[in-house]
Amino acid sequence: MATTTSAPATHAGGPPSGGAPMSHRQIMEALSGLLLGMFVAILSSTIVSNALPQIITDLGGGQSAYTWVVTAALLSMTATTPLWGKLADLFSKKLLVQTALLIYVAGSVVAGLSQNTGMLIACRVVQGIGVGGLTALSQIILAAMIAPRERGRYSGYLGAVFAVATVGGPLLGGVITDTEWLGWRWCFYVGVPFALIALFVLQKTLKLPVVKRDVKVDWAGAFFISAAVSLLLIWVTFAGDKYDWMSWQTAVMVGGSVLLGAVFLFVESRAGEPIIPLRLFRNRTITLASLASLFVGVAMFAGTVFFSQYFQLARNESPTMSGVLTIPMIAGLFVSSTASGMIITKTGRWKAWLIGGGALTTGGLGLLGTIRYDTEYWHIALFMAVLGLGLGMMMQNLVLCTQNQVDPSDLGAASSVVTFFRSLGGAIGVSALGAVMAHRVTDYVRDGLAALGPKAAAAMGQGGKGGGIPDMDKLPAPIRTVMEDAYGHGVGDVFLYSAPFALLAFLVTLFIKEVALKSNSAAAEAK
């Protein structure tokens, strides 16, 4: 397939003439705006976590709305990731990442003006579309510039940015929420300046070869995969609350999701430019890496979403302190992602990191499954660090081993497939685990009130029915202890239920065959 480029190959961001590798300085200049865009993407996902209890209370929502504010962004990010990946194989990657930033800015500005949870959830959908582009394109552009053998080092930088944004987001969101003259609405505005700076830096520093091809986007495939995933998540969120798990609604939604998925597979098998080329899954490494990413997504998003409820509702910490107390997990993620990337670059070996990461993630979640509202913090910190170390070893390296298996023309689609399954696992996990937690908390509150006697139940009123996020400061001491215990135990259950998924990811990585990392970048191979 012939290609033409819009810029000389000597520019930073593309390999110099003759296929010589770029210098570290050239790569870092080209990556600077990309890393800033990645920071914005992760920040938007995490900054609301510690502010959510306050946001949902102010907007009059309950546990279902709490979950959907997170899930809506994950859903749109998941559904659009394959589309961004396919577009990256057809259009200018630089233009696409700038478009994703503008979509994110639009969603963020309107989200800050939300008057009810429905409006906020709709804006989070728009934000998620932009974030999906930023996360997918960051991996794709990195792979286009840098050979797999060297990519581990720079993937480590992406992992480090992920870690900083993950810890900085909740911490910054907590500070903003606790600052009287700002308030939670600024959680959505604060990322806008970063996004605009990233736009400017990308324009100045990112110069990639532009592949000119006949453009044909698989819009039908994009629609059917979005519809299948959306229907599945709606079912998971409301099952057991609005209707029974075994009911006609479940049969209709699950059956409809399966049918839409079958239509998607049929459309993809006949599409000239499929959004997810099914032939990619003939490669065992890509199939197994995608499956592992699905299970890792459950663990990753469970950790970032439910810690805020644990620290604020079970331990009565402020939003700011809730962010500070999660630092051990992020420190573990930062250290392991950076260190594993550098060592992979030196040795070319990556499978051991995946296996070790799977074991640590499983162990960390299992340990976190034992926490209660009165568990000593140093125990929790240790468990969080173990989880962070495991996640840091797995996330970037699952993408790396996939990118190493494909031709340059499929780089965008293959990279987005792994990101898609990770986001899908996160979206399903957050929806299902949020529903499970709501029911477990309700059960624990009911049992606790029964132990206190009829007067306690009467004083609680409707508080034991799980309809909303309680204001702990307004509850009498004995009832408050019951609520704190219920939320502590409920979050512990969520982590315990997440551990088997991490174990499945670990088992899947055992069967991934280690293939030597290539020494040429995708841009060089495409010549």
Side-chain angles (χ1 to χ4, degrees), residues 256-272:
S257 184
V258 171
L259 180 61
L260 288 167
V263 174
F264 167 73
L265 293 176
F266 177 77
V267 169
E268 294 301 274
S269 67
R270 293 176 174 262

Side-chain angles (χ1 to χ4, degrees), residues 296-315:
V296 168
V298 176
M300 182 179 75
F301 288 102
T304 56
V305 170
F306 294 105
F307 272 128
S308 61
Q309 283 191 302
Y310 174 77
F311 285 117
Q312 291 184 51
L313 298 177
R315 300 181 78 98

Side-chain angles (χ1 to χ4, degrees), residues 1-192:
M1 180 176 59
T3 61
T4 58
T5 59
S6 63
T10 52
H11 282 98
S17 59
M22 299 165 63
S23 69
H24 176 66
R25 178 176 177 179
Q26 287 177 310
I27 292 171
M28 291 309 299
E29 286 178 351
L31 283 181
S32 55
L34 198 64
L35 293 173
L36 190 56
M38 186 72 171
F39 177 79
V40 167
I42 303 304
L43 189 71
S44 74
S45 301
T46 60
I47 195 169
V48 299
S49 60
N50 285 331
L52 268 180
Q54 185 64 50
I55 293 173
I56 299 303
T57 299
D58 288 354
L59 296 182
Q63 181 68 43
S64 178
Y66 186 105
T67 302
W68 264 100
V69 170
V70 178
T71 304
L74 283 175
L75 171 60
S76 57
M77 181 174 74
T78 301
T80 58
T81 291
L83 181 59
W84 285 110
K86 175 49 64 178
L87 292 175
D89 289 332
L90 302 176
F91 295 106
S92 164
K93 298 173 180 63
K94 177 177 177 177
L95 179 61
L96 287 171
V97 76
Q98 290 175 315
T99 301
L101 280 165
L102 289 174
I103 292 172
Y104 164 79
V105 168
S108 299
V109 170
V110 182
L113 303 174
S114 297
Q115 300 302 306
N116 53 61
T117 55
M119 181 178 177
L120 177 59
I121 290 168
C123 293
R124 292 287 286 171
V125 170
V126 177
Q127 274 190 311
I129 294 172
V131 170
L134 292 171
T135 51
L137 292 165
S138 295
Q139 297 285 358
I140 293 166
I141 293 172
L142 183 72
M145 293 192 299
I146 305 163
R149 181 62 187 265
E150 294 295 320
R151 202 176 299 151
R153 176 184 185 183
Y154 298 98
S155 292
Y157 293 146
L158 280 180
V161 168
F162 182 96
V164 170
T166 304
V167 69
L171 186 56
L172 183 59
V175 171
I176 290 172
T177 304
D178 286 339
T179 303
E180 189 174 338
W181 53 275
L182 287 174
W184 60 261
R185 295 182 186 276
W186 277 92
C187 290
F188 300 102
Y189 299 145
V190 73
V192 173

Side-chain angles (χ1 to χ4, degrees), residues 13 32 88 130 188 194 216 255 290 338:
S32 55
F188 300 102
F194 290 105
K216 185 183 288 185
S290 299
T338 306

